[in-house]
Amino acid sequence: MTDDDPVDPAAGTDGADPLAWETLDSTTDYDCPGFTVRLDEVRLPDGTETGFHSVENGASVIVLPFTDDGEVVLVEEWRQAVERVNRGLPAGSVEGDEPLAEAARRELAEETGYEAAAVEFMIAHEPSNGLLDATYHYFVAHGCEPTAEQDLDDNESIRVTTASFDELRDAALGGGMRDGRSALGVLQYALRTE
């Protein structure tokens, strides 16, 4: 793991694959804070022309933040889509061409008030690439201390808490951590370190 921004392994594909669809037109069906619903008119490999909806959500960072005493800093946040409080890792969107490591530091500070002595890139995943264009970039943060003020977005309701990594790993394995992006980050880290 390094502090440098990762290279996207999917970048540079030229569409020459015989499975590739040809995009004939692309329009926005719906736009709101957080995501855009796009309609592409496409030609399939067999020549069929059809429409395909997808969600543009862009790049995000997810941070697994450790304090010096080994606790993990977590956020408890209301999630309207599932109508409950969600416990998970600090996360948020990358702003423009912001370097990913800077985005990880910014999101950690904004959501929790904690700042990291160091951040390291762990891995990137596309959580649902049949529907979303999103890429989740996972970072591990070390030496986290509560030195900043929370700076929440208008639509964020967040409470900060901590837990042991063992508790989080067990929750992710046992279904007690319902937030998929957080569970994936916890399990990826567990596989790399245990």
Side-chain angles (χ1 to χ4, degrees):
M1 292 186 288
T2 68
D3 194 34
D4 300 327
D5 285 346
V7 175
D8 183 354
T13 58
D14 61 6
D17 191 298
L19 296 177
W21 296 1
E22 178 186 357
T23 302
L24 305 172
D25 190 28
S26 186
T27 58
T28 297
D29 263 7
Y30 179 74
D31 196 17
C32 70
F35 67 91
T36 298
V37 177
R38 185 180 78 216
L39 171 61
D40 290 339
E41 296 298 329
V42 298
R43 182 176 295 119
L44 305 179
D46 69 359
T48 303
E49 293 185 11
T50 188
F52 181 81
H53 281 92
S54 62
V55 177
E56 295 177 342
N57 189 238
S60 295
V61 291
I62 296 87
V63 185
L64 178 60
F66 287 93
T67 63
D68 282 335
D69 62 1
E71 290 287 293
V72 178
V73 181
L74 301 169
V75 294
E76 294 177 343
E77 182 173 8
W78 179 258
R79 293 300 193 186
Q80 183 62 29
V82 293
E83 296 185 335
R84 64 175 157 72
V85 172
N86 176 71
R87 183 174 77 154
L89 301 175
S93 297
V94 176
E95 296 177 356
D97 61 356
E98 176 182 34
L100 296 173
E102 284 182 28
R105 288 179 179 279
R106 177 184 50 76
E107 283 295 336
L108 175 63
E110 287 178 0
E111 290 195 353
T112 69
Y114 280 73
E115 293 180 303
V119 296
E120 298 173 293
F121 175 74
M122 183 168 49
I123 196 164
H125 284 287
E126 297 170 347
S128 185
N129 61 17
L131 173 65
L132 305 171
D133 72 345
T135 301
Y136 292 166
H137 301 275
Y138 288 86
F139 284 82
V140 179
H142 298 283
C144 296
E145 295 184 12
T147 57
E149 293 290 323
Q150 272 184 309
D151 185 17
L152 301 177
D153 293 339
D154 293 339
N155 63 350
E156 290 180 315
S157 301
I158 292 177
R159 177 173 50 235
V160 180
T161 186
T162 61
S164 72
F165 182 77
D166 288 347
E167 176 193 338
L168 292 181
R169 182 200 58 230
D170 292 348
L173 285 169
M177 178 174 275
R178 300 292 301 271
D179 181 64
R181 67 183 179 182
S182 295
L184 180 58
V186 167
L187 295 173
Q188 280 283 351
Y189 184 79
L191 286 170
R192 286 169 163 67
T193 60
E194 295 180 353

